[in-house]
Structures are given as C-alpha cells and as structure tokens.
Amino acid sequence: MLPFYILTFAVTIQAENQLLPGSCNFESNTCGYTSDADFTSWTLHKDGRFVAVDAVTNNDDETDADTVMQKKNTGVLLSPFLEQGEWSCLRIVHQITGSGSLEVLQRTAGKSFDKPLWSSQVPSDSWVISSVDLQNNTEPYRIVIEGKPEQSPGSSVAVFEIHISPGYCLECDFEESHLCGYSNQWNANVNWYVGGGGSQLLQNNMPTDHTYNNKTGHFMYVDSIYAKTFKEVAKLVSPMTTVPMSGCLSFQYQRSEDRGNLFSVFTRDRLGQYQELWKAEPEIQSDWMPGEWIPVQVDLKAPYFVQVVFEVAFNSPRGGRVAVDDISFSSEFCSTDTEPTFDPSIASCDFESGFCQYTQDQVIASSWRRVSVKPNIFRNGDHTTGAGSFLLAHSRLGPSSGYVSRVIGPILPGNMKFCLRFYFSLRGFNQTEQALIVYLQHSSGQEKIWTLGEKSRGIWIATDVTFQTSQPAQVVFVSTCRSFWDCGSVALDDINVSLGDCELAAGLLTLSLPGKCDFEAGLCGYIQDKQKDAADWEWRRGPTPTSYTGPRGDHTTGLGYYLHMEASPMLPGQNIRLLSRPLRGSRGLQCLSFFYHMYGSGMGQLSVHLDKNGEDVLLWQLSGEQSIAWLRATVEYQSDSQHQIVFEAIRGTSVRSDIAIDDIILEGGPCPEVRSTVGTSNEIE
C-alpha cells in the first residue's frame, strides 16, 4: 500500500480540527517535548519543521561498547505530561531513512515499563503518516517516541508533525490534508480522490459534501471514467487499528445513477485476510433521491488489529461514481440486539482448580485424569508452575484393549475464527499418531483439526491451531491406544483459546506484556554483566551438552530458546550475572515471575538481586538440585528509584550444575496468588 501522500488533492485543504495538548508541528520549537538525557538527543532542524536522530558509528573499545552504542544510536523524545481521559488519536508524520526503527510508547507514573503502542521499521523516501489510538486513561502520562537508526552511513529517523485529536483513528471527515491517515491503494486506472473544496474535477455534477452540506467541504470519491478492464477495483484503506475494537462503524455514501459498480466494505488484518462487513444493495437506492447522502451503520468486531477497506469494483467506464464522507465510530454496537463480542476465555483452562468447563465423554470407560506431581528428579510436573495439576490419559490401564480418552470443551459460536494453543507431553513407551488428536465436534459430525507430529518425550510442547467453523462447535481432545505397551500415557495442560488467527493473537500478547521476555528472539534488552562475573549466560535451544543436568527444552514452547549457565568450562564457585535494563522506580509493589531449571547432582545456586546504584539487595535465592521440571518463582519487591534486576547463577561442585531461566515477566502490582488444588494422585506413572 502506498502512503497518504500519493493521493491526488483537489484543492489545498485549510480546515483544521481541534488539536489536543501533545500536538506539535516543530515550526520553531519542540512544544515541550524533551530528549531523555540518558540517550542521544533529538535535534530540531535548523529551519524548523522536524526533529531527527542520526546514526552514530562505533569508535568505542570499552567492554560494554554494545550498550554504549545502543544508547548513542537511540533517541528518546518525551512529551509533556498529558491528562486526556477520553479516547483520542495520535497521528505522527515520520520518515525512516536508510535502516532503523521508530516506536511510540506510553509512560505512566508508577510503572517501570513503558507500554508499546506502535512501531515501524519500514524505510521511505518521503514523509509517511501513521495513526495510534490512545485509549481512555485516568492517570497522567507521557508519550515516548523512540528512534533507532542503524549504525550505517546516512541512516536517520525523523518526525515532522504530531497531531493528537479527540475520537478514534478510524474516524474522518476528510477536511484536513492528512486525510486521517486514510490511503488510496494505487491502481493504474481507478483511484480514490479528494472531492469538494469548491473545485469540480472530471465531472460537473460532483456532490456537495456531507459534513458542511456545501461545495467547500471535502469527501472521497472514485469514478469509473478511466476504467479499462473488467472489474477494475479501487480501495480506500483506513489506518491499521492499534488496539482491539468493537462497536458501530458509521459512514455516508453516494452512488451515481449509473450504478455499474459493486461497493463493499471489508476489514483486512495484518495477514492480508479480508472479511466483508457490508455491501450496497441495488434495492436500497430506490429509497433515496439521486444526490442524497445515504447513511450506513455496521457492527465492527475486531479483537485484533485491522484496517477498514472501502472497495469499489467497476465493470466498464460507464460504471458511475461512488463517494464516501464522515466516517465515525462508537464503542456501542449499532443495534441493542447485537450480541457482545464472544469471550473465548471460557474455553481456556490450566487445570489448577479443576476441569473448568471441560467435560469427559461418559460413554467411554477410559478417561483423562487430573493429576499433580511434586517436584522431583525423575518425573516432569505440569507446565503452569512445574508443581501444579494437568490432565493425563492412559495412566491406569487394565488387561482389556482399545482405550479411548475424550475431553470436550465448551461450545464455541459459529462464523468465527479461533486460535487454540495447548501444551502436551508424551510419556512412557512408543507413541503412535493416535496418541493425541484434536477434533472440532458440531451437529453434522466432527472434523480433525490437528494430529500429532512432534514426538519428543518428556517435555511440554506448545501447539497453535487456527480454525474456523460455520456453526457452533466444541473442541475435543482424543487419545487412543491399543494397550499401555503400545503408546504409554499422554499429558495435556494450559489450554488457551483466543479470537482470530494465531499469528495475530501472538502480536497482541507481545504488546500486552511489555515486561515479558521469553528469549525467543534474543535477550529483550537484558545484558551480560562484564564486570562482576566469570562467564556469560548462554542462549540455547534444545538440551544442554552435559548429560543428567539442564533442561531438555525451553519452557515457552518446548522447542524454543532459554538462557543457561554451562557449568563445564567453569570452576566451582564461579558466577555469571544477567542485568535487566535500568527500570524506573515506582511507589507500589512490583511482581517479578520467572521459570528456572535446576537439575543435576552437583547443582549450585541461583539468586535474584536488586541493584540500586551499586547497592545490592537479595530478593530470592535457591541452592541445590530441585527438579527435572521447569519451576515457577514469583518475587515481590518495591523500589522508588531507578534500579536493575540481576539474575546470578553460581557453579556447583561438579559439571552437573547447569542452571537455566526462561519466561521472565515483570509487571506492576502484587503477585497474584497461585490457584491450586491437589489432583487425584501424585503417583501417575
């Protein structure tokens, strides 16, 4: 898609909507925006009009040169404190030259992490406009604009204007030159143009705009006059939403009397998948006079990021014209009869407090049992905490043959797309493809949506399944084996169901937990302590090199990455230290949770410290062999000044002393209580 500047303007647009505090055009000053002194400065161009941060080449020889260069090549621009309780839209006109990134975050007092709102790494040769929804906020906050040009000659990140206006980013009356971030998807023959403004282009019978009901207001239109091939398509595309949204989308449209066109409205997600919201029906036109604006209201349910696409298809140059104006949005659905957006969490379960809304098939004798395992060095525990409950099939088999275990989820509505994530673990002997299968069960039968492929034993493996059903359905987990010696047992835990494609759901989770690191894409800003340790934490996938110590896979997916201390090249008592990036102080409690793995007969010590300007405070510590499973730890602490979290591992008496960590989460507030009730048995195998 081409950015907004390729749209052909009919006239110079002069109208301006109300701008809120935090807006700035950088004409002669930065409007109260300041550079964070801990990073490189944004520079106001000598002629005004924009601020920029340029790449710096590396000339440092220090041991922490990577950290130094990261700060030198990062510019952090802070807005004044803003107090805007109502929903508003931030539009930022920017340019990335060469290679680099630009990110917009929200900083709230008392929180150690900034909330990511939007980011881009797309270079351009001209200014581009992007839109960010700012949700209702009862606390003062600051907008954080973080520019990171890569260390290459000519790379830079620049910001031309920042506009903050009331309302949703989807809304537009097309009276301003930025067109609210709406863009025309270029077509060689038919395109959307700006109409009105007292000028008549191409046609003498252009409509008056809807906003002001005169010839000086503006609207968007597309005309078939240049259509040359069958089904020429013109698309007017909204900015991508940056938060989940549901409510009523409204707009006004006109169609010329020719009506040789198809006019539809779709949503398009980040994967390019379309879903029709509405289309113009021929019979509706008879209710309206030619030249009248026709109002439309349509319910929008977008639990993930989408664009709204206004699409007109022409079959010939005589296909007529379509105009659109005054797009608006309300968080209330158009009709009181509209069902609220379905909450998929009813189908999620970690089995810590029971079966949730999952049920057993009473017709079949064999069943899934809810069990728990105390931490030990022989048997793996559950995935949720390492010491909680999970489901196990085929753990008690008699002399008969033909064992089938079925556990059935709650009913999910039809005509929706879902993402199913669950963890399974194979235990025992030779597994077959029938060890675990997932079906979708509905009134007309059942269909298979997943079958076993990965057969690694003894680790929890994550599986993501995207599925869609046209009618109400239930997810069914089925395990079948002829005898215990044929397939052993199968474990199931942490079922999670969300709306939309699994790739889209993963993006939302990343934004919702800014203090989370699963090490799948690197160290997330954590750094090795080069001053106070003897070696480094190693980024690893799969088992560690030494037998009878270390994990067999990571905690996040079973097949991903984690950090570990490789004890083999170290001496007893030597340590490694991992530092978080500097964290802001806060008035309230903070909760740190993470998973650790301490398995090995020569196990040493793992500890967590708080580093406040060189002052070391011990928060948590554990020594000796703990379990063959990943175990969860939670730590509450409070610090009203800048600090760093330190993970320190100390090598034990032998090489069987590998220590690993994974899935770190740092968030505000006290740590939630662990919900747990004992399963039916601790002796499961």
Side-chain angles (χ1 to χ4, degrees):
M1 182 195 309
L2 296 177
F4 80 105
Y5 52 78
I6 61 94
L7 282 162
T8 303
F9 287 84
V11 293
T12 301
I13 301 176
Q14 299 176 343
E16 285 199 12
N17 285 336
Q18 175 190 359
L19 293 181
L20 297 175
S23 302
C24 190
N25 60 14
F26 302 103
E27 281 284 359
S28 57
N29 58 61
T30 58
C31 314
Y33 280 81
T34 57
S35 290
D36 189 325
D38 290 335
F39 298 86
T40 194
S41 293
W42 287 79
T43 304
L44 181 65
H45 192 260
K46 61 181 180 180
D47 297 325
R49 297 302 295 171
F50 68 90
V51 291
V53 56
D54 299 313
V56 178
T57 55
N58 188 0
N59 295 316
D60 289 289
D61 295 323
E62 305 171 29
T63 55
D64 59 343
D66 289 344
T67 305
V68 172
M69 286 310 301
Q70 184 179 9
K71 287 194 172 184
K72 283 187 176 181
N73 272 331
T74 300
V76 176
L77 192 65
L78 303 173
S79 76
F81 278 98
L82 307 177
E83 297 186 24
Q84 291 158 191
E86 299 301 318
W87 198 293
S88 56
C89 176
L90 181 149
R91 295 187 176 95
I92 180 170
V93 184
H94 60 91
Q95 182 180 5
I96 299 174
T97 303
S99 57
S101 65
L102 181 65
E103 187 170 13
V104 177
L105 307 98
Q106 188 177 53
R107 177 173 298 181
T108 305
K111 293 188 178 180
S112 296
F113 283 92
D114 298 329
K115 178 183 178 182
L117 300 177
W118 169 90
S119 65
S120 176
Q121 295 179 319
V122 181
S124 66
D125 55 7
S126 187
W127 297 106
V128 178
I129 185 170
S130 297
S131 303
V132 184
D133 277 295
L134 302 177
Q135 295 174 277
N136 304 349
N137 202 321
T138 57
E139 300 179 9
Y141 63 89
R142 303 176 82 175
I143 296 297
V144 181
I145 299 174
E146 192 172 286
K148 294 181 181 179
E150 294 291 336
Q151 297 177 35
S152 56
S155 292
S156 68
V157 177
V159 173
F160 183 69
E161 286 187 8
I162 299 171
H163 285 188
I164 303 179
S165 55
Y168 298 85
C169 291
L170 286 178
E171 298 180 318
C172 198
D173 59 12
F174 303 107
E175 299 301 330
E176 294 190 68
S177 57
H178 55 60
L179 303 182
C180 318
Y182 277 76
S183 60
N184 170 66
Q185 187 165 310
W186 183 256
N187 181 304
N189 299 316
V190 292
N191 291 281
W192 287 87
Y193 297 91
V194 178
S199 174
Q200 306 296 329
L201 293 180
L202 306 178
Q203 302 281 343
N204 291 322
N205 58 344
M206 293 287 285
T208 59
D209 95 311
H210 180 267
T211 312
Y212 299 116
N213 193 30
N214 60 31
K215 295 291 186 179
T216 60
H218 300 86
F219 53 88
M220 300 300 297
Y221 77 96
V222 58
D223 200 296
S224 66
I225 189 170
Y226 293 121
K228 295 182 178 179
T229 62
F230 179 73
K231 207 165 186 180
E232 296 268 16
V233 176
K235 296 181 180 181
L236 178 66
V237 184
S238 79
M240 182 75 72
T241 60
T242 55
V243 294
M245 298 178 69
S246 61
C248 182
L249 178 71
S250 306
F251 61 93
Q252 304 281 335
Y253 82 98
Q254 281 193 27
R255 294 170 84 186
S256 62
E257 295 184 46
D258 301 328
R259 300 178 196 168
N261 57 69
L262 299 174
F263 178 32
S264 307
V265 180
F266 301 86
T267 58
R268 182 172 68 189
D269 62 32
R270 290 187 293 111
L271 301 179
Q273 300 172 140
Y274 284 77
Q275 182 174 353
E276 186 177 87
L277 292 179
W278 171 90
K279 64 179 178 181
E281 299 292 346
E283 62 270 20
I284 295 179
Q285 289 285 338
S286 60
D287 298 331
W288 302 90
M289 297 293 293
E292 267 192 282
W293 287 97
I294 303 173
V296 174
Q297 290 188 325
V298 57
D299 286 323
L300 172 66
K301 296 180 180 181
Y304 40 83
F305 306 154
V306 297
Q307 295 168 299
V308 176
V309 181
F310 294 84
E311 180 180 289
V312 179
F314 298 105
N315 290 330
S316 73
R318 297 183 296 277
R321 184 184 63 246
V322 175
V324 170
D325 201 5
D326 291 342
I327 301 168
S328 62
F329 182 79
S330 167
S331 59
E332 302 292 330
F333 285 117
C334 307
S335 169
T336 55
D337 296 332
T338 301
E339 294 185 3
T341 303
F342 175 72
D343 181 6
S345 65
I346 66 166
S348 299
C349 191
D350 60 13
F351 304 105
E352 295 303 306
S353 300
F355 276 79
C356 307
Q357 297 198 38
Y358 283 79
T359 58
Q360 301 270 17
D361 193 328
Q362 300 299 322
V363 178
I364 298 174
S366 182
S367 64
W368 292 83
R369 289 195 306 133
R370 179 173 161 266
V371 300
S372 60
V373 177
K374 293 180 180 179
N376 66 91
I377 61 172
F378 303 107
R379 298 170 181 167
N380 211 356
D382 79 322
H383 179 265
T384 313
T385 67
S389 299
F390 58 97
L391 296 189
L392 192 67
H394 312 310
S395 58
R396 288 179 178 171
L397 302 180
S400 60
S401 61
Y403 301 97
V404 179
S405 297
R406 289 165 54 91
V407 62
I408 306 168
I411 297 176
L412 303 175
N415 298 316
M416 297 185 73
K417 183 178 288 187
F418 295 94
C419 172
L420 167 68
R421 164 167 276 211
F422 62 92
Y423 288 82
F424 71 92
S425 178
L426 303 178
R427 303 162 184 237
F429 305 94
N430 297 323
Q431 272 80 22
T432 68
E433 291 185 357
Q434 298 295 313
L436 185 61
I437 299 176
V438 182
Y439 292 94
L440 206 56
Q441 179 176 287
H442 40 72
S443 60
S444 55
Q446 66 179 20
E447 57 181 296
K448 185 187 300 183
I449 59 174
W450 179 86
T451 187
L452 183 64
E454 175 61 47
K455 298 182 181 179
S456 299
R457 297 186 185 88
I459 60 175
W460 286 102
I461 298 175
T463 297
D464 290 335
V465 183
T466 299
F467 66 90
Q468 189 165 3
T469 175
S470 59
Q471 55 185 309
Q474 295 168 283
V475 173
V476 184
F477 294 88
V478 180
S479 182
T480 306
C481 67
R482 292 186 297 273
S483 70
F484 179 80
W485 301 103
D486 177 59
C487 62
S489 57
V490 181
L492 180 66
D493 201 7
D494 289 346
I495 301 172
N496 182 271
V497 179
S498 56
L499 297 177
D501 194 285
C502 288
E503 288 189 47
L504 303 175
L508 283 177
L509 181 61
T510 302
L511 286 177
S512 64
L513 293 172
K516 174 181 173 61
C517 185
D518 58 16
F519 301 111
E520 296 305 306
L523 301 190
C524 319
Y526 284 85
I527 57 175
Q528 309 279 0
D529 188 341
K530 301 293 186 180
Q531 307 297 326
K532 299 179 181 179
D533 64 2
D536 287 342
W537 289 85
E538 295 187 11
W539 188 52
R540 176 169 290 278
R541 186 179 189 180
T544 60
T546 309
S547 59
Y548 300 105
T549 187
R552 299 181 62 184
D554 79 321
H555 177 265
T556 314
T557 66
L559 305 174
Y561 291 89
Y562 58 92
L563 289 190
H564 94 291
M565 177 186 72
E566 178 51 49
S568 301
M570 299 174 64
L571 298 175
Q574 287 188 323
N575 70 331
I576 60 174
R577 287 164 59 92
L578 185 73
L579 308 178
S580 73
R581 64 190 184 192
L583 305 173
R584 292 187 305 279
S586 60
R587 295 182 298 273
L589 284 173
Q590 301 289 306
C591 178
L592 168 68
S593 67
F594 61 95
F595 282 83
Y596 63 92
H597 197 281
M598 299 175 69
Y599 164 60
S601 58
M603 186 54 58
Q605 176 180 286
L606 176 64
S607 57
V608 178
H609 304 258
L610 194 68
D611 187 323
K612 300 170 65 175
N613 296 321
E615 178 189 354
D616 190 273
V617 179
L618 178 65
L619 297 178
W620 179 92
Q621 183 175 283
L622 200 59
S623 301
E625 187 175 45
Q626 301 298 316
S627 176
I628 199 171
W630 285 97
L631 301 176
R632 186 173 69 181
T634 56
V635 183
E636 287 182 354
Y637 75 93
Q638 192 274 331
S639 177
D640 55 9
S641 60
Q642 182 171 284
H643 59 280
Q644 289 176 284
I645 300 295
V646 182
F647 289 88
E648 181 179 45
I650 300 176
R651 198 252 205 202
T653 57
S654 78
V655 295
R656 291 191 173 91
S657 182
D658 290 351
I659 296 175
I661 57 175
D662 200 5
D663 290 341
I664 302 171
I665 298 177
L666 182 58
E667 52 191 341
C671 295
E673 294 183 11
V674 178
R675 299 176 294 104
S676 181
T677 57
V678 178
T680 58
S681 172
N682 284 330
E683 299 298 326
I684 62 172
E685 297 178 320

